[in-house]
Amino acid sequence: MRALGQRSIASFIRLVLDAAWWLVAVSVVLLSGLLVCALFVNLEGDNLTMDLPIALVLNAPVHDNSASLQTDARIEKLRGNLRFPVRRGAFFSGSMLLVVVLFGFLLWGLTQLRHVFRSLSRGLLFIPENARRIRWVGFAVISGELARAAVVYFWSFYTSQHFTVNGLRFVASMDFNGITILSGLAILVIAEVFREGTRLHEEQSLTI
């Protein structure tokens, strides 16, 4: 199977990206509608729940079963999700707005990728638009991860201030993913490779 052109791997990926783009676009519309409802309609009591990522510290001693003694071992942090009924107010509306922004980042990145693979499925590799679009994808990946980490910290800080559990303590945690940032930087490098390849291709075309 060919990598570029019609009926190639690039054209298959383009179809997958098209489906993903429409899925995210519909999600953005639905989330935006829910955000508008949250501003003007009381959603409490409508069986709506929020599911937020949390980090917990266990306030309990750890025992060594072989010696039946307490040891210096301790559980530093537990991660999970906290589900609770929607509460009308600034927190829910702000959370919905942040989710819409994150999905907007995702939609924008998918849009750039769709254009790149659309040109690749037509056999157009070294064109200036591809280098620019791949660069925007890299920025979207980095910015999206930073925004996601900030949102997770906001949610975990909220739970640490408003919820308590016997023997457990909620803590604010950012959950930063360095691999995603490295991936974004790698995409920026690939964009520069495309830009240089485009420049050489144009120079070769002028020479011929």
Side-chain angles (χ1 to χ4, degrees):
M1 190 175 184
R2 296 182 301 170
L4 304 176
Q6 297 292 333
R7 297 180 180 179
S8 64
I9 297 176
S11 62
F12 172 75
I13 295 177
R14 179 181 62 83
L15 293 176
V16 174
L17 289 173
D18 287 343
W21 187 91
W22 281 107
L23 179 61
V24 174
V26 171
S27 299
V28 169
V29 172
L30 294 177
L31 289 171
S32 299
L34 185 58
L35 173 60
V36 173
C37 290
L39 295 176
F40 300 101
V41 179
N42 186 3
L43 298 177
E44 292 180 295
D46 290 339
N47 296 323
L48 289 177
T49 60
M50 296 189 69
D51 197 349
L52 303 182
I54 56 172
L56 299 166
V57 172
L58 179 62
N59 298 320
V62 178
H63 295 271
D64 186 346
N65 290 332
S66 61
S68 299
L69 297 173
Q70 182 177 340
T71 70
D72 292 332
R74 57 183 178 178
I75 300 176
E76 292 288 344
K77 189 177 294 184
L78 302 171
R79 294 190 180 276
N81 293 321
L82 177 66
R83 178 173 296 178
F84 57 92
V86 167
R87 300 173 178 177
R88 187 181 184 184
F91 174 72
F92 179 68
S93 300
S95 296
M96 290 304 305
L97 178 60
L98 292 174
V99 171
V100 170
V101 171
L102 288 178
F103 271 75
F105 270 114
L106 179 58
L107 187 64
W108 182 56
L110 286 174
T111 300
Q112 305 306 314
L113 280 176
R114 285 179 72 203
H115 287 303
V116 170
F117 279 92
R118 187 174 297 170
S119 64
L120 293 179
S121 63
R122 295 200 300 263
L124 302 175
L125 179 59
F126 292 115
I127 58 176
E129 290 79 5
N130 277 350
R132 184 177 66 253
R133 289 163 181 162
I134 293 174
R135 187 182 306 114
W136 283 123
V137 170
F139 285 130
V141 170
I142 295 173
S143 301
E145 174 57 26
L146 293 176
R148 186 198 65 82
V151 170
V152 170
Y153 180 84
F154 168 66
W155 284 338
S156 61
F157 178 79
Y158 176 85
T159 57
S160 69
Q161 299 297 310
H162 292 83
F163 294 91
T164 57
V165 180
N166 292 334
L168 297 174
R169 178 168 56 88
F170 291 91
V171 294
S173 177
M174 186 168 287
D175 191 26
F176 181 78
N177 192 334
I179 300 299
T180 303
I181 299 297
L182 289 177
S183 299
L185 294 175
I187 293 173
L188 292 179
V189 173
I190 294 173
E192 288 303 307
V193 173
F194 263 81
R195 187 180 66 82
E196 185 65 18
T198 300
R199 185 185 65 81
L200 294 176
H201 179 73
E202 290 178 345
E203 290 180 354
Q204 185 179 17
S205 299
L206 292 175
T207 303
I208 295 176

